[in-house]
Amino acid sequence: MFQESIPFLTLSGTLYVLVVSLFFNVWLLIRKPPTTEQPSTKKSNSALALNLPKGWWSDPDRFQAERRAIFSQSWMCVSHRGRFRKVGDYIVYEVAGFRFFMILGKDMIVRSFHNVCRHRAFPVARKQSGSALVLGCRYHGWSYDTKGTLVKAPYFDNLPGFDKSQNSLFEIHTKEDGYGFLHINVSAREDVATTTPPEATRSGELGQIKLDSHLIDTMEFKGRFNWKVILNNQPRKSSTEVSTKDIMGTLLSQSPHSVGKMGFFPLTTVQTMSNGPFWYQLTYSPETSQQTAMRCDVYSSIASKDNEFEDATKISLMNELKQNIREFEKQHKQLTTSGYHSTGANDSHVNILRMVEGHLGQEKIRGCEIKPATVKQQFQSEAFTKADQSEFSLVRL
């Protein structure tokens, strides 16, 4: 009996081995082969996200590096065509320390200029906003038209060799997109004119945003927080390639009033509102490493009276914006007192870090700071200097 069972056991064992072998070979064929790129890429991205430099939220030197690397050479959305209704309308802005004004010309084109006279660098536009075909520096009377051309220069008009056309205001690259938003790039490089502002992140209903929208209100706030805080809490992505659209994810906050949203890297968001033809543009302006201003321009897609936006709607929006400022300040305080400066890091911060570190690398090679927004004053002749001295003497008398 025992001898008769041996062939059966042998056969069963053979079948068992064959089944196991077959299963193992099939598993080898279908399983995904291991790669070295994906883990290393993920590790690299994670490492960057978790190791932001100390002082990321508060270091004044790092803030200045951000001004040179980002704000001095990036397209920034700062206004909308609806602010300029008639020829000569102008408004003065300050973004990341760059003070300039925008003005509507006779050709119905909005231009931007550094708000400094070519003579002694005093402000040309003295009021925050207004309308004028000619803007003049109060110090010595140099005056400029809507295209920035010097049209009047007391004591210099009859100076031999003095060329008014060589003393126009320093113009800033300005472009208007299909929605009527106005973008500037303060870089002094001429080739910037051939580039275009990046497209906005868009979601929801944007029908209220029109070229002929009317400005109906402006609110301004300031808070003690680093500008990068507005980019916090954005979900991370596994890819190391981060577009400017990704960076604006956090800024498109879930406002209870919002129907549609747009985001422009690095400082501007736009939201349409559910209760009427209104929409508003938020533009943040970093002032220091620990202080940021926010301007809210409210528009209407139809010619409406101001009181239509008053009372409950305006108060509700104002309270919401104030609450956002308080939340930013709270986050900033936590980040600067925790002792761990990389808290809240995400792909936006990683991308900003790359831009800044890349610029600092170029500065290290050159051995000096690189300031793309710096404009060069032309060489003044001996005759110019004499006229300047004569003018100064007459003014003192």
Side-chain angles (χ1 to χ4, degrees):
M1 188 75 177
F2 176 74
Q3 291 179 349
E4 291 178 356
S5 65
I6 293 177
F8 174 76
L9 293 173
T10 303
L11 179 60
S12 298
T14 302
L15 290 173
Y16 176 78
V17 172
L18 287 173
V19 170
V20 172
S21 176
L22 179 62
F23 176 81
F24 181 71
N25 281 279
V26 170
W27 178 79
L28 287 175
L29 289 173
I30 65 174
R31 80 182 185 95
K32 186 176 181 179
T35 62
T36 56
E37 290 186 8
Q38 291 180 350
S40 63
T41 300
K42 184 176 182 180
K43 181 178 180 181
S44 174
N45 190 50
S46 176
L48 281 171
L50 295 177
N51 291 282
L52 297 174
K54 184 177 180 180
W56 182 256
W57 308 107
S58 58
D59 183 15
D61 291 335
R62 175 158 290 276
F63 174 69
Q64 292 303 321
E66 290 167 353
R67 290 188 71 239
R68 300 193 301 273
I70 300 174
F71 305 123
S72 293
Q73 52 188 331
S74 300
W75 284 102
M76 298 180 289
C77 178
V78 295
S79 191
H80 186 267
R81 185 64 172 74
R83 291 215 65 155
F84 305 88
R85 309 303 300 178
K86 63 180 183 296
V87 175
D89 283 356
Y90 70 88
I91 184 167
V92 177
Y93 288 120
E94 183 170 351
V95 177
F98 297 104
R99 192 166 178 81
F100 60 96
F101 70 92
M102 310 183 84
I103 188 168
L104 180 63
K106 295 180 180 179
D107 54 3
M108 305 309 291
I109 295 176
V110 177
R111 294 178 175 83
S112 305
F113 303 95
H114 289 281
N115 192 20
V116 291
C117 178
R118 287 295 299 272
H119 184 203
R120 290 291 183 86
F122 272 68
V124 174
R126 298 182 297 276
K127 296 191 300 181
Q128 190 63 32
S129 62
S131 187
L133 297 180
V134 175
L135 289 172
C137 173
R138 182 175 294 179
Y139 191 26
H140 292 107
W142 283 34
S143 302
Y144 306 85
D145 64 15
T146 58
K147 290 187 176 182
T149 303
L150 179 64
V151 294
K152 180 182 178 183
Y155 303 103
F156 289 83
D157 285 331
N158 299 318
L159 178 67
F162 180 73
D163 187 354
K164 288 183 180 178
S165 66
Q166 298 300 312
N167 287 275
S168 300
L169 292 174
F170 292 117
E171 188 168 0
I172 294 173
H173 302 287
T174 306
K175 291 193 176 182
E176 179 180 331
D177 65 22
Y179 283 92
F181 291 105
L182 298 167
H183 307 253
I184 66 163
N185 191 319
V186 297
S187 173
R189 291 167 39 198
E190 292 297 327
D191 59 349
V192 171
T194 63
T195 65
T196 57
E199 292 186 7
T201 298
R202 297 186 293 269
S203 65
E205 178 57 49
L206 302 173
Q208 292 102 312
I209 304 176
K210 298 180 180 180
L211 292 173
D212 59 348
S213 293
H214 296 256
L215 177 73
I216 60 174
D217 207 340
T218 294
M219 295 174 277
E220 296 185 354
F221 308 88
K222 287 189 178 183
R224 292 194 58 78
F225 61 92
N226 183 277
W227 73 277
K228 296 187 293 294
V229 172
I230 64 180
L231 299 170
N232 278 357
N233 306 319
Q234 180 184 326
R236 293 180 187 165
K237 293 189 175 184
S238 59
S239 172
T240 57
E241 295 298 325
V242 184
S243 69
T244 55
K245 291 185 179 181
D246 298 327
I247 293 177
M248 301 312 295
T250 302
L251 288 181
L252 299 180
S253 58
Q254 297 297 325
S255 167
H257 305 291
S258 179
V259 176
K261 308 166 189 175
M262 301 179 72
F264 297 94
F265 176 77
L267 298 171
T268 300
T269 63
V270 178
Q271 298 195 30
T272 59
M273 303 180 71
S274 57
N275 50 348
F278 309 113
W279 58 273
Y280 59 93
Q281 178 177 356
L282 295 178
T283 303
Y284 295 88
S285 175
E287 296 184 340
T288 69
S289 61
Q290 301 188 66
Q291 181 163 300
T292 302
M294 180 180 73
R295 186 184 73 252
C296 177
D297 293 328
V298 183
Y299 293 85
S300 173
S301 60
I302 60 175
S304 58
K305 297 181 180 179
D306 291 352
N307 58 12
E308 293 185 23
F309 183 69
E310 294 296 329
D311 303 326
T313 303
K314 179 177 179 178
I315 293 173
S316 178
L317 176 59
M318 184 179 297
N319 289 337
E320 179 186 326
L321 296 176
K322 289 180 178 179
Q323 179 58 37
N324 289 345
I325 294 292
R326 288 192 292 267
E327 180 60 30
F328 291 147
E329 290 179 329
K330 179 181 177 181
Q331 288 189 37
H332 179 77
K333 185 175 181 179
Q334 292 174 342
L335 292 167
T336 53
T337 58
S338 65
Y340 184 53
H341 294 268
S342 59
T343 303
N346 55 38
D347 286 329
S348 297
H349 301 121
V350 173
N351 193 61
I352 292 171
L353 176 61
R354 287 182 177 140
M355 295 173 70
V356 174
E357 294 303 319
H359 188 83
L360 291 176
Q362 295 179 24
E363 292 183 340
K364 186 176 181 180
I365 293 174
R366 293 194 187 184
C368 63
E369 291 184 349
I370 301 175
K371 300 180 179 180
T374 300
V375 290
K376 296 181 179 180
Q377 181 82 341
Q378 71 176 45
F379 173 76
Q380 307 295 359
S381 65
E382 183 178 352
F384 184 102
T385 303
K386 289 182 178 180
D388 193 40
Q389 293 173 345
S390 298
E391 177 190 34
F392 183 68
S393 299
L394 289 171
V395 169
R396 292 183 63 186
L397 293 174

